[in-house]
Amino acid sequence: MSLSAKDWLHRIRALDLPQRVKIMNVCGGHERAITMAGLRSALPDTIELIPGPGCPVCICPEEDIYAAIQLALHEDVSLVAFGDMLRVPVNVPKREARSLDEAKARGADVRPIASPTEAVRIARDHPDRAVVFFAAGFETTTAPVAAMLAEGVPDNLFLLLSGRLTWPAVAMLLDSGEANFDALIAPGHVATVMGPEEWQFVVEQHQLPAAIAGFTPVSLLAAMYSVLRQVQEGQRFLDNCYPEVVRPGGNLTARQQMHKVLDVTDANWRGIGVIRSSGYALKAELAAHDARQHFPLYADASRKRAGEMPPGCDCAGVVLGRIYPDQCRLYGRACTPRHPIGPCMVSDEGACRIWWASGVRESREAAVVDA
Ligand code: SF4
């Protein structure tokens, strides 16, 4: 018998929880489903749902976006990137291009794409022109990029890779001793590719309840019920609440392709800093397709600092689950989707953008300031 959202809510409300429980999600898709379905207001007050580091555009380091902008402006290339990346601002003086969109407005050949196959097609259609694919994203985005590379790409296609692994950010948060949550909802699509076992550390090393969820309110509520019941009964295990697609070991073919063409490396996260073993790099055999090796280095080391958000922007606090989006004092005032200050207001997976789209229009901090 499959339960409805109403059934799951009824079960959650019937739990006798010993304490206030904070549940973190680490997926923009989860945050969107939770917010759009109004799950926060449907749950008892003692349950908090915290958006965490689940937006790849939000954590893409400023030095990579800056390098992409400079490459597009100063080299004779077509720069292609997933649409969200084009609007993400970097912190530069107003006279300079702040985003790939602004670089495009200044004459750079910048093109949005929706999949890696489009990058290959553009390169094949223009064999005499260098095409740079700025590939930023988590495992679910990096897997098709790896498949593209494993199958072979045209000589004129180069990658500016900015891929990240999701679980190391959660591990970093938990290892820091400053994690602001009591249970975790793990991303179903990442587990589909990489296997649910990646999230076992949450239970085994940190003794926190965890559950893998899909992207419907029903699946999310099932996962919430699982971790809340674990809290109530003092149990700890990783529950797969998305068994329709998440299988032990994940997608073996995708993992083999990633292993074939990519190395795992330490990587910088915007606003957070370097996290061990949290990024992907092209293997040495693919150096001929590595934009960082083929073109002059436009990376700017000064942009690697942690907390590299624009002045006043608290995206780092949002990404780490330390504040809710509307606790940033710029939310809805200086920062809106039309005029984003930080990356969390740009991407469809950014918590600020999602909250704005759901109708939250005012900053709690602004209300305090205005009072
Ligand atoms: S409201 Fe804007 S400035 Fe504030 S955290 Fe979100 S994206 Fe950053």
Side-chain angles (χ1 to χ4, degrees), residues 312-315 318 325 328 330-331 335 341-345 352:
C313 167
D314 211 348
C315 277
V318 172
C328 169
L330 301 187
Y331 181 92
C335 184
I341 303 284
C344 295
M345 192 60 93
C352 298

Side-chain angles (χ1 to χ4, degrees), residues 127-162:
D128 299 328
R129 185 163 176 79
V131 176
V132 176
F133 177 13
F134 180 28
F138 288 141
E139 296 93 330
T140 45
T141 304
T142 308
V145 172
M148 174 195 81
L149 288 164
E151 285 170 13
V153 294
D155 290 346
N156 60 324
L157 181 60
F158 304 91
L159 261 89
L160 183 61
L161 184 64
S162 193

